Amino acid sequence: MTVDRFQHSPWSFWNEASDEARAAQSRAQAELLGAHAGWSFGERCFVSDLASVDAEALTLGDGTYVAAGAYLTGTLALGRDVSVNPYTAIRGDVVIGDATRIGAHTSILGFTHVFDDPDVEVRLQGLGSRGIRIGDDVWIGSHVVVLDGVTVGSRALLAAGAVVTKDVPAGAVVGGNPARLLKWRVPPEDRLRERLVAFAEVVRADAAAVLERSWDASAHRFVDRPGATPTLRAQCDAVEIADLLRGAAPEQLDAAELRGMIVGWPGAGGAGDGRGSGDGGDAGDTGDTDAAYRVLCAGYALDLLGGAFTTPPPLDEASDLLARLGALPWTEDAWHAGHWVDSFGTALLWRLRAQDPVPRGYAEALFGWLVTHADPATGVWGEPSEATGMLLPVNGFYRATRGTFAQFGVPLPYPERVVDTVLAHASDERFFAPERLDACNVLDVAHPLWLTSASGHRLADVLAVARRLLESALERWHPGAGMAFGPGDAPGLQGTEMWLAIIWYLADLLGLSDALDYSPRGIHRPEPALALALAP
């Protein structure tokens, strides 16, 4: 038995088929239209005799063809020059634009079975439909599945075998199961650079007003926001913001006065303690986290002001450091554990900068413990919880790596797994819905993605997250007041300093940081503060 080749490959039918075959196709279409009041076909369409077409309503635009084995049901509207290749199923409520190519064995399913009641068989629960909308000039590869509720933008490409469960932006190339962004066929119109330039102009012009708003003249100190109590962190945040946006110390005090204030702050002159607690106690002691933070904020503020601690922070012997690292609450509170590791690494930095003695093997013990205890499956330390998912492990990863791998330019052990973990966490709507974003959670995603970007792993997904978070961050500036740390907070110095750093990291991931014309030089500096050579 010989099968007419045009049944499976109909694209050249109207140019190459015999007069008899073209007349037979015209008669067949007329019969179909006569039998179905809700159908309409444009000029030079083709419907294979071997296709199963059982649609309630069907529109085929000019030049559209339906090849052998195709299965069409439901309410379907296909534009001009659409190719429905062999064994493709298009079912339910589906609208497809012009010039879209659909590969063989693809399923476009604009309906779904209801299965809400586990006590009733699925076959008895009926159907639901949100419909599928596919734009113009879309290329859908073979063996693709597009599920109900999806919209595919014009000029997108769905790679062979993709399972498309979410909307696809116009011009995107997606693939995989579930489908994810691989690259752009047509990059979106990018006005982000213009927004960054405008943002930088606004924040620079506003910098003096933001600092003046948080200056308590009666106390002769900075406060985080009007009405707050002066804190060491507020002084340090003021120094960071002024350096970032003005390239100088805050005009309320000169650099020498600020250095004296920070060094003279209770507990700050001696840098707190780099050994795990403010009084040199056990690393698991959670009683004085401020002491550990002084190592960071006061140290970097003094560094920006051309100063240093009067007494560098003490360090443990390597064996004691290993014991402290093991005693940290990695399972219960990985953020708290990462907080201390940040202080351990930064205390090492200040001692090296001051050329003070460092216990033998201290750096090797610190990095060796972290490398050997990172989870190869996630790249981070700690475990997820039912209440907060990967929030604490990811946030703890940022803190731990900021003060170690990033601060000293040491490669991470599992960068690809970190990318996977952070991207999964960034999709958690409990923390990353636009109305729930806070500076801590966003920074703790932005910095790890930036730190691991050289791996190139899932770069399209990384850039999509960076763009989404950056566009939201750029909306958060309050004229004359700065940026709020999180939902419900008033604008303050802490939020302003953190969000400005976040915006730089996200912009840099997208190759746009030059538009800001600023780069963090303090606690959130992107470059290693000191190159560290570890003993083999």
Side-chain angles (χ1 to χ4, degrees), residues 105-172:
H105 298 276
T106 282
S107 297
I108 300 173
L109 307 175
F111 73 99
T112 188
H113 287 276
V114 176
F115 56 93
D116 295 337
D117 189 342
D119 296 323
V120 177
E121 294 176 348
V122 171
R123 67 185 181 89
L124 300 176
Q125 294 191 53
L127 303 175
S129 175
R130 292 180 292 161
I132 291 173
R133 301 294 181 263
I134 298 174
D136 299 332
D137 189 25
V138 175
W139 180 14
I140 302 174
S142 297
H143 296 277
V144 169
V145 178
V146 183
L147 297 182
D148 186 39
V150 165
T151 295
V152 179
S154 294
R155 305 173 77 185
L157 190 155
L158 313 185
V163 178
V164 184
T165 62
K166 295 182 179 180
D167 291 352
V168 177

Side-chain angles (χ1 to χ4, degrees), residues 468-507:
R468 169 168 61 86
L469 294 176
L470 179 57
E471 288 176 345
S472 179
L474 291 174
E475 300 291 335
R476 295 173 182 272
W477 186 262
H478 297 261
M483 307 179 88
F485 178 86
D489 296 328
L493 296 182
Q494 180 183 359
T496 300
E497 189 277 327
M498 292 181 71
W499 280 110
L500 288 173
I502 288 165
I503 287 168
W504 186 91
Y505 277 108
L506 295 173

Side-chain angles (χ1 to χ4, degrees), residues 42 104 169 225 356 407 410 432 443 445 514:
R225 51 191 178 274
D356 284 323
Q407 190 162 241
V410 176
F432 291 95
L443 177 63
V445 161
D514 60 302

Side-chain angles (χ1 to χ4, degrees), residues 434-445:
E435 69 277 6
R436 296 175 181 171
L437 295 177
D438 69 42
C440 178
N441 292 341
V442 177
L443 177 63
D444 296 356
V445 161

Side-chain angles (χ1 to χ4, degrees), residues 307-400:
F309 290 120
T310 54
T311 305
L315 299 177
D316 277 315
E317 295 298 325
S319 59
D320 293 330
L321 173 63
L322 291 173
R324 291 186 186 278
L325 288 166
L328 290 171
W330 295 104
T331 302
E332 301 83 9
D333 188 352
W335 179 90
H336 184 85
H339 171 78
W340 284 113
V341 171
D342 198 351
S343 73
F344 298 164
T346 307
L348 172 64
L349 171 67
W350 302 135
R351 289 194 72 89
L352 291 171
R353 283 273 190 90
Q355 299 184 334
D356 284 323
V358 173
R360 181 181 178 86
Y362 183 92
E364 289 75 14
L366 176 59
F367 283 93
W369 192 97
L370 291 171
V371 168
T372 57
H373 287 79
D375 185 344
T378 65
V380 305
W381 303 273
E383 301 290 337
S385 71
E386 185 176 347
T388 59
M390 287 298 290
L391 178 69
L392 294 178
V394 170
N395 289 10
F397 176 86
Y398 161 68
R399 290 301 305 275

Side-chain angles (χ1 to χ4, degrees), residues 172-264:
V173 178
V174 303
N177 179 10
R180 57 183 176 83
L181 180 68
L182 300 178
K183 60 181 180 180
W184 293 97
R185 177 189 175 203
V186 183
E189 185 178 1
D190 197 348
R191 298 191 180 278
L192 202 49
R193 176 175 291 277
E194 297 174 16
R195 292 185 64 193
L196 287 165
V197 170
F199 175 82
E201 291 174 353
V202 167
V203 300
R204 285 187 183 281
D206 252 2
V210 169
L211 292 168
E212 182 62 28
R213 174 177 177 268
S214 288
W215 175 249
D216 186 334
S218 61
H220 206 61
R221 299 284 189 273
F222 285 101
V223 295
D224 183 68
R225 51 191 178 274
T229 301
T231 61
L232 175 61
R233 172 149 193 169
Q235 318 316 305
C236 298
D237 285 335
V239 170
E240 295 263 6
I241 293 167
D243 182 84
L244 190 69
L245 299 180
R246 298 167 61 85
E251 62 184 15
Q252 286 78 6
L253 294 170
D254 64 29
E257 288 179 289
L258 277 164
R259 289 197 300 268
M261 178 192 299
I262 291 170
V263 168

